[in-house]
mmCIF file of all heavy atoms in Angstrom:
data_model
loop_
_atom_site.group_PDB
_atom_site.id
_atom_site.type_symbol
_atom_site.label_atom_id
_atom_site.label_comp_id
_atom_site.label_asym_id
_atom_site.label_seq_id
_atom_site.Cartn_x
_atom_site.Cartn_y
_atom_site.Cartn_z
ATOM 1 N N HIS K 240 182.933 -31.980 70.217
ATOM 2 C CA HIS K 240 182.464 -32.063 68.822
ATOM 3 C C HIS K 240 182.123 -30.719 68.192
ATOM 4 O O HIS K 240 181.989 -30.615 66.972
ATOM 5 C CB HIS K 240 181.284 -33.040 68.701
ATOM 6 C CG HIS K 240 179.990 -32.576 69.290
ATOM 7 N ND1 HIS K 240 179.748 -32.557 70.642
ATOM 8 C CD2 HIS K 240 178.843 -32.126 68.713
ATOM 9 C CE1 HIS K 240 178.520 -32.130 70.874
ATOM 10 N NE2 HIS K 240 177.951 -31.851 69.719
ATOM 11 N N HIS K 241 182.006 -29.669 69.003
ATOM 12 C CA HIS K 241 181.760 -28.335 68.449
ATOM 13 C C HIS K 241 182.979 -27.409 68.574
ATOM 14 O O HIS K 241 182.888 -26.220 68.279
ATOM 15 C CB HIS K 241 180.558 -27.679 69.127
ATOM 16 C CG HIS K 241 179.240 -28.145 68.586
ATOM 17 N ND1 HIS K 241 178.848 -27.941 67.285
ATOM 18 C CD2 HIS K 241 178.227 -28.836 69.176
ATOM 19 C CE1 HIS K 241 177.640 -28.459 67.100
ATOM 20 N NE2 HIS K 241 177.254 -29.028 68.225
ATOM 21 N N GLU K 242 184.108 -27.961 69.004
ATOM 22 C CA GLU K 242 185.335 -27.171 69.057
ATOM 23 C C GLU K 242 185.941 -27.113 67.647
ATOM 24 O O GLU K 242 185.728 -28.015 66.840
ATOM 25 C CB GLU K 242 186.349 -27.798 70.022
ATOM 26 C CG GLU K 242 185.849 -27.945 71.456
ATOM 27 C CD GLU K 242 185.769 -26.616 72.201
ATOM 28 O OE1 GLU K 242 186.129 -25.568 71.621
ATOM 29 O OE2 GLU K 242 185.335 -26.633 73.377
ATOM 30 N N ARG K 243 186.689 -26.046 67.360
ATOM 31 C CA ARG K 243 187.277 -25.861 66.030
ATOM 32 C C ARG K 243 188.747 -25.482 66.144
ATOM 33 O O ARG K 243 189.178 -24.886 67.140
ATOM 34 C CB ARG K 243 186.518 -24.785 65.252
ATOM 35 C CG ARG K 243 185.056 -25.164 64.945
ATOM 36 C CD ARG K 243 184.960 -26.373 64.032
ATOM 37 N NE ARG K 243 183.585 -26.743 63.707
ATOM 38 C CZ ARG K 243 182.887 -27.693 64.325
ATOM 39 N NH1 ARG K 243 183.443 -28.366 65.337
ATOM 40 N NH2 ARG K 243 181.664 -27.997 63.945
ATOM 41 N N LEU K 244 189.524 -25.789 65.123
ATOM 42 C CA LEU K 244 190.970 -25.609 65.168
ATOM 43 C C LEU K 244 191.394 -24.168 65.430
ATOM 44 O O LEU K 244 192.445 -23.920 66.033
ATOM 45 C CB LEU K 244 191.604 -26.085 63.847
ATOM 46 C CG LEU K 244 191.530 -27.589 63.560
ATOM 47 C CD1 LEU K 244 192.203 -27.903 62.237
ATOM 48 C CD2 LEU K 244 192.178 -28.393 64.685
ATOM 49 N N ASP K 245 190.602 -23.196 64.963
ATOM 50 C CA ASP K 245 190.982 -21.793 65.143
ATOM 51 C C ASP K 245 190.493 -21.208 66.461
ATOM 52 O O ASP K 245 190.623 -20.010 66.714
ATOM 53 C CB ASP K 245 190.470 -20.940 63.979
ATOM 54 C CG ASP K 245 188.946 -20.976 63.849
ATOM 55 O OD1 ASP K 245 188.288 -21.653 64.666
ATOM 56 O OD2 ASP K 245 188.426 -20.335 62.917
ATOM 57 N N GLY K 246 189.911 -22.044 67.319
ATOM 58 C CA GLY K 246 189.457 -21.582 68.626
ATOM 59 C C GLY K 246 188.087 -20.930 68.606
ATOM 60 O O GLY K 246 187.646 -20.378 69.620
ATOM 61 N N SER K 247 187.393 -21.005 67.472
ATOM 62 C CA SER K 247 186.089 -20.347 67.350
ATOM 63 C C SER K 247 184.926 -21.220 67.812
ATOM 64 O O SER K 247 183.780 -20.784 67.807
ATOM 65 C CB SER K 247 185.856 -19.940 65.890
ATOM 66 O OG SER K 247 185.787 -21.091 65.044
ATOM 67 N N GLY K 248 185.218 -22.460 68.213
ATOM 68 C CA GLY K 248 184.151 -23.368 68.619
ATOM 69 C C GLY K 248 183.738 -23.186 70.068
ATOM 70 O O GLY K 248 184.121 -22.218 70.732
ATOM 71 N N TYR K 249 182.964 -24.140 70.554
ATOM 72 C CA TYR K 249 182.490 -24.067 71.937
ATOM 73 C C TYR K 249 182.401 -25.479 72.517
ATOM 74 O O TYR K 249 182.430 -26.447 71.777
ATOM 75 C CB TYR K 249 181.119 -23.369 71.998
ATOM 76 C CG TYR K 249 179.970 -24.067 71.287
ATOM 77 C CD1 TYR K 249 179.192 -25.033 71.925
ATOM 78 C CD2 TYR K 249 179.652 -23.760 69.962
ATOM 79 C CE1 TYR K 249 178.139 -25.673 71.283
ATOM 80 C CE2 TYR K 249 178.597 -24.393 69.304
ATOM 81 C CZ TYR K 249 177.853 -25.344 69.965
ATOM 82 O OH TYR K 249 176.804 -25.978 69.320
ATOM 83 N N PRO K 250 182.377 -25.615 73.854
ATOM 84 C CA PRO K 250 182.198 -24.562 74.872
ATOM 85 C C PRO K 250 183.501 -23.979 75.413
ATOM 86 O O PRO K 250 183.483 -22.986 76.134
ATOM 87 C CB PRO K 250 181.457 -25.300 75.983
ATOM 88 C CG PRO K 250 181.979 -26.694 75.902
ATOM 89 C CD PRO K 250 182.206 -26.960 74.449
ATOM 90 N N ASN K 251 184.654 -24.579 75.080
ATOM 91 C CA ASN K 251 185.909 -24.164 75.731
ATOM 92 C C ASN K 251 186.909 -23.481 74.804
ATOM 93 O O ASN K 251 188.039 -23.234 75.198
ATOM 94 C CB ASN K 251 186.568 -25.378 76.396
ATOM 95 C CG ASN K 251 185.701 -25.968 77.493
ATOM 96 O OD1 ASN K 251 185.209 -25.235 78.351
ATOM 97 N ND2 ASN K 251 185.493 -27.276 77.462
ATOM 98 N N GLN K 252 186.509 -23.204 73.573
ATOM 99 C CA GLN K 252 187.373 -22.525 72.599
ATOM 100 C C GLN K 252 188.750 -23.194 72.487
ATOM 101 O O GLN K 252 189.790 -22.528 72.436
ATOM 102 C CB GLN K 252 187.547 -21.034 72.936
ATOM 103 C CG GLN K 252 186.287 -20.204 72.769
ATOM 104 C CD GLN K 252 185.287 -20.416 73.894
ATOM 105 O OE1 GLN K 252 185.646 -20.303 75.078
ATOM 106 N NE2 GLN K 252 184.040 -20.739 73.565
ATOM 107 N N LEU K 253 188.744 -24.519 72.461
ATOM 108 C CA LEU K 253 189.989 -25.260 72.282
ATOM 109 C C LEU K 253 190.493 -25.045 70.863
ATOM 110 O O LEU K 253 189.727 -24.721 69.955
ATOM 111 C CB LEU K 253 189.765 -26.754 72.540
ATOM 112 C CG LEU K 253 189.209 -27.140 73.910
ATOM 113 C CD1 LEU K 253 189.033 -28.650 73.998
ATOM 114 C CD2 LEU K 253 190.115 -26.636 75.025
ATOM 115 N N SER K 254 191.798 -25.244 70.642
ATOM 116 C CA SER K 254 192.349 -25.035 69.298
ATOM 117 C C SER K 254 193.555 -25.930 69.046
ATOM 118 O O SER K 254 194.181 -26.448 69.978
ATOM 119 C CB SER K 254 192.753 -23.568 69.111
ATOM 120 O OG SER K 254 193.777 -23.212 70.029
#
Side-chain angles (χ1 to χ4, degrees):
H240 71 284
H241 279 297
E242 301 287 359
R243 296 296 181 263
L244 293 180
D245 60 1
S247 64
Y249 63 87
N251 297 311
Q252 292 76 52
L253 302 179
S254 62

